[in-house]
Amino acid sequence: MYVCLCRGVTEAKARELGEAGYISASSLAAALRLNDDDCCGRCLREIEPLLAIACGACPRRPAALVRAAAN
Amino acid sequence: MRAKEGVLDLLNAMLTIELTAINQYFVQAAMFRAWGYDRLAEHVRALSLDEMKDAAELIDHILYLEGIPNMQRLGRVAVGENVPECLQLDLETEREAVQTLVGAITHCTQVGDFTTRKKFEAMIEDEETHVDWFETQLDTIGQVGIENYLAQQIH
Ligand SMILES: [Fe+2]
Ligand SMILES: [Fe+2]
């Protein structure tokens, strides 16, 4: 599904960024430009599921940490 | 007429759900049409218009109770990347609407606002048919498979 309609960000895109090592809320937000004026603001507030997807896809991220990040 | 305690907040909460659903169904209908599923698109577009009628009714009633309809607040417009994803998200939206209405009806009874309760009761009936429709679509997909289901939507 689309996790941010403002930017047309799909779950697949979040996974792709996770694979590239974007596994913090701030780096994800910056990469997707969720923190500038054209985004509604809601996408940034609801970044948790996006972060969980990215963490899940990151090869450098052990499974236990991924679970912690999702909680 | 002045509203009883908490009633305007509930009417506005429901308005937010309706406004979100209007947008969600409208864009999904357009996506379905773009993908060639005209039959499905027609139905989802009609749902969007249904929700618009609900929104209009809520707006009128909020004004009647001397409140301000909050047209500014919108929930998350949930859009999938394919048909079953969209239908699943829509089902969740409708279930949330029913949930909110159940709470609203209970509250109206507690504060003795039977006029508003009646409006919410009419709405819950509609929303339950929406829940049922989405459930049926997903069940059908489960039974006949997505290809067969989609083949029936090209008209
Ligand atoms: Fe509705
Ligand atoms: Fe509905």
Side-chain angles (χ1 to χ4, degrees):
Chain A
M1 67 171 288
Y2 286 91
V3 284
C4 163
L5 270 188
C6 309
R7 295 281 178 227
V9 179
T10 57
E11 286 177 346
K13 179 73 188 172
R15 228 170 283 127
E16 202 177 284
L17 283 170
E19 275 164 23
Y22 293 82
I23 49 170
S24 72
S26 56
S27 65
L28 261 183
L32 296 168
R33 292 183 301 133
L34 298 190
N35 36 15
D36 67 21
D37 282 348
D38 293 339
C39 191
C40 69
R42 177 173 295 271
C43 309
L44 187 58
R45 282 204 308 280
E46 295 181 5
I47 201 164
E48 290 302 323
L50 213 133
L51 187 59
I53 295 167
C55 288
C58 181
R60 289 186 279 115
R61 190 89 168 168
L65 279 177
V66 171
R67 241 173 281 122
N71 288 332
Chain B
M1 223 182 94
R2 284 291 281 276
K4 297 243 168 59
E5 172 82 33
V7 169
L8 282 171
D9 285 345
L10 285 171
L11 284 164
N12 266 317
M14 198 55 215
L15 179 58
T16 297
I17 293 177
E18 299 291 0
L19 294 175
T20 309
I22 292 167
N23 284 278
Q24 188 167 314
Y25 298 159
F26 205 80
V27 72
Q28 286 183 8
M31 286 164 77
F32 295 159
R33 193 169 315 111
W35 295 338
Y37 308 124
D38 285 18
R39 188 173 165 206
L40 184 62
E42 259 329 294
H43 199 105
V44 173
R45 192 186 138 87
L47 283 178
S48 179
L49 300 181
D50 267 6
E51 309 297 17
M52 198 176 284
K53 284 181 204 132
D54 287 344
E57 208 169 312
L58 288 164
I59 291 164
D60 283 345
H61 195 59
I62 289 166
L63 290 170
Y64 171 76
L65 293 175
E66 296 173 28
I68 315 261
N70 188 345
M71 302 299 285
Q72 187 89 295
R73 189 175 56 196
L74 210 62
R76 196 167 65 93
V77 177
V79 177
E81 294 174 64
N82 52 50
V83 168
E85 251 183 42
C86 285
L87 296 175
Q88 185 61 47
L89 291 164
D90 296 344
L91 177 59
E92 283 158 28
T93 299
E94 293 294 343
R95 282 184 176 152
E96 190 200 342
V98 169
Q99 201 68 38
T100 303
L101 285 166
V102 167
I105 290 166
T106 311
H107 180 83
C108 286
T109 309
Q110 277 162 3
V111 299
D113 183 344
F114 299 104
T115 316
T116 306
R117 189 179 81 174
K118 221 165 131 189
K119 290 190 185 294
F120 282 143
E121 280 171 350
M123 270 172 211
I124 207 169
E125 236 181 281
D126 276 358
E127 305 302 2
E128 277 174 355
T129 65
H130 295 168
V131 167
D132 181 63
W133 189 80
F134 285 115
E135 279 175 352
T136 305
Q137 304 315 300
L138 290 164
D139 282 352
T140 306
I141 290 169
Q143 282 162 26
V144 304
I146 187 64
E147 284 86 2
N148 287 328
Y149 176 83
L150 290 178
Q152 292 300 313
Q153 306 305 326
I154 308 168
H155 284 290

